[in-house]
């Protein structure tokens, strides 16, 4: 919308609970309402960010100038540098009505660290060899090395909150580095909220922790091999997934 100087039409979420939780549609013109006013939907090709794609889309936009149409993209458009829209989506999230009902279990006198360890489907991927799942894998050592580093440098008492799947016994090693709360049964939206509000968020290769990172004010510790981009500032710390060392140039 910004690129082509077009007003944005909000498509809505298929899950109404997430719709209310995120609040992205509040005070936005919706596609549903525009259709009631006689606007027609026209689908445009997959947008991949190449110059050819940009120019093709520009020609399509210009061809509909002055007409009552809504130009809709395909679902799952790839957008590497999603952080470029952080100020906009963060403002929408923080102003949502749902924020009045937020409740987090973090303690103000502790350093609250949310660690997202993606498992579930990617565990099966290690056995099947499916590349889409294999590339998302990060070993437990990757996370514990980060936890150890936090423990050694923390000025406040570290409290680790583990967001994953499986049994608590699989993650007991984190107790070597500080207090641990296992959030394995916490709901999706509550998990999402806690990752946003954490003092430090340790991400996995997953949009389920990358998206909270976009909305967070805390420190984000990120794996180097992820396909979405990270901003270049002190609150985004990129860790090489092999050497477990901080990458200066991300």
């Amino acid at each position: 919308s910004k690129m082509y100087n077009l007003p944005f039409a909000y498509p809505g979420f298929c899950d109404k609970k997430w719709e209310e939780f995120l609040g992205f549609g509040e005070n936005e013109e919706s596609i549903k309402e525009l259709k009631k006013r006689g606007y027609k939907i026209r689908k445009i090709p997959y947008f991949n960010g190449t110059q050819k794609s940009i120019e093709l889309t520009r020609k399509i936009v210009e061809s509909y100038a002055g007409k009552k149409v809504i130009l809709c993209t395909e679902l799952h458009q790839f957008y590497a540098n999603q952080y470029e829209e952080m100020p906009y989506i963060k403002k929408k999230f923080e102003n949502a009505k749902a924020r009045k009902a937020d409740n987090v279990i973090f303690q103000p006198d502790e350093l609250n660290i949310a660690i997202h360890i993606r498992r579930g489907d990617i565990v099966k991927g290690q056995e099947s060899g499916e590349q889409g799942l294999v590339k998302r894998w990060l070993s437990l050592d990757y996370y514990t090395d980060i936890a150890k580093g936090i423990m050694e440098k923390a000025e406040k008492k570290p409290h680790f909150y583990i967001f994953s799947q499986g049994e608590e016994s699989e993650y007991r090693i984190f107790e070597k580095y500080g207090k641990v709360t296992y959030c394995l049964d916490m709901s999706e939206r509550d998990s999402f909220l806690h990752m946003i509000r954490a003092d430090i968020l340790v991400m996995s290769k997953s949009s389920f922790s990358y998206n909270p990172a976009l909305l967070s004010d805390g420190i984000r510790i990120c794996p180097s091999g992820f396909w979405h981009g990270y901003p270049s500032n002190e609150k985004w710390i990129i860790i090489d997934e092999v050497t477990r060392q901080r990458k200066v140039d991300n």
Side-chain angles (χ1 to χ4, degrees), residues 107-147:
Q107 299 301 314
D109 60 335
E110 297 176 334
L111 182 65
N112 299 289
I113 305 120
I115 300 181
H116 182 235
I117 305 174
R118 180 164 175 175
R119 288 299 182 253
D121 58 341
I122 69 169
V123 174
K124 296 178 182 178
Q126 306 313 298
E127 300 170 357
S128 67
E130 184 181 337
Q131 287 305 302
L133 299 176
V134 169
K135 69 179 182 178
R136 294 179 179 273
W137 181 265
L138 289 168
S139 70
L140 198 60
D141 288 345
Y142 170 84
Y143 297 101
T144 55
D145 284 354
I146 292 173

Side-chain angles (χ1 to χ4, degrees), residues 13 29 47 51 85 91 141 170 178 191 193 220 222 230 245-246 250:
F13 276 68
E29 191 87 77
F47 185 87
Q51 192 60 38
E85 301 305 322
K91 183 178 179 181
D141 288 345
E170 300 174 45
S191 296
L193 177 65
R220 299 81 150 181
C222 323
Y230 307 124
Q245 299 297 311
R246 180 172 182 171
N250 62 337

Side-chain angles (χ1 to χ4, degrees), residues 143-154 160 177 200 221:
Y143 297 101
T144 55
D145 284 354
I146 292 173
K148 181 181 178 183
I150 292 172
M151 176 196 70
E152 293 172 346
K153 296 178 181 179
F160 298 96
Y177 309 114
I200 300 175
I221 299 179

Side-chain angles (χ1 to χ4, degrees), residues 20-37:
E20 294 172 3
F21 173 75
L22 294 169
F24 290 166
E26 294 176 15
N27 302 314
E28 295 283 1
E29 191 87 77
S30 73
I31 288 178
K32 184 178 180 180
E33 290 302 316
L34 287 170
K35 286 173 68 177
K36 289 180 181 178
R37 286 159 43 192

Side-chain angles (χ1 to χ4, degrees), residues 31-158:
I31 288 178
K32 184 178 180 180
E33 290 302 316
L34 287 170
K35 286 173 68 177
K36 289 180 181 178
R37 286 159 43 192
Y39 281 79
K40 305 295 182 183
I41 288 180
R42 295 293 181 265
K43 294 184 179 181
I44 60 177
Y46 184 80
F47 185 87
N48 60 16
T50 64
Q51 192 60 38
K52 182 178 179 180
S53 174
I54 290 170
E55 291 307 317
L56 172 61
T57 305
R58 190 181 308 281
K59 289 179 181 179
I60 294 171
V61 169
E62 291 172 352
S63 73
Y64 284 106
K67 298 179 182 179
K68 295 182 71 171
V69 299
I70 306 165
L71 300 175
C72 288
T73 61
E74 295 180 21
L75 291 176
H76 308 301
Q77 298 282 331
F78 181 72
Y79 178 21
N81 294 338
Q82 294 181 22
Y83 63 83
E84 294 172 344
E85 301 305 322
M86 278 195 304
Y88 175 74
I89 62 172
K90 181 170 175 54
K91 183 178 179 181
K92 295 293 296 183
F93 178 78
E94 295 297 352
N95 289 335
K97 297 174 184 176
R99 298 290 72 75
K100 295 178 181 179
D102 285 350
N103 183 35
V104 295
I105 60 176
F106 294 149
Q107 299 301 314
D109 60 335
E110 297 176 334
L111 182 65
N112 299 289
I113 305 120
I115 300 181
H116 182 235
I117 305 174
R118 180 164 175 175
R119 288 299 182 253
D121 58 341
I122 69 169
V123 174
K124 296 178 182 178
Q126 306 313 298
E127 300 170 357
S128 67
E130 184 181 337
Q131 287 305 302
L133 299 176
V134 169
K135 69 179 182 178
R136 294 179 179 273
W137 181 265
L138 289 168
S139 70
L140 198 60
D141 288 345
Y142 170 84
Y143 297 101
T144 55
D145 284 354
I146 292 173
K148 181 181 178 183
I150 292 172
M151 176 196 70
E152 293 172 346
K153 296 178 181 179
E155 296 180 359
K156 294 171 71 174
K157 180 181 177 182

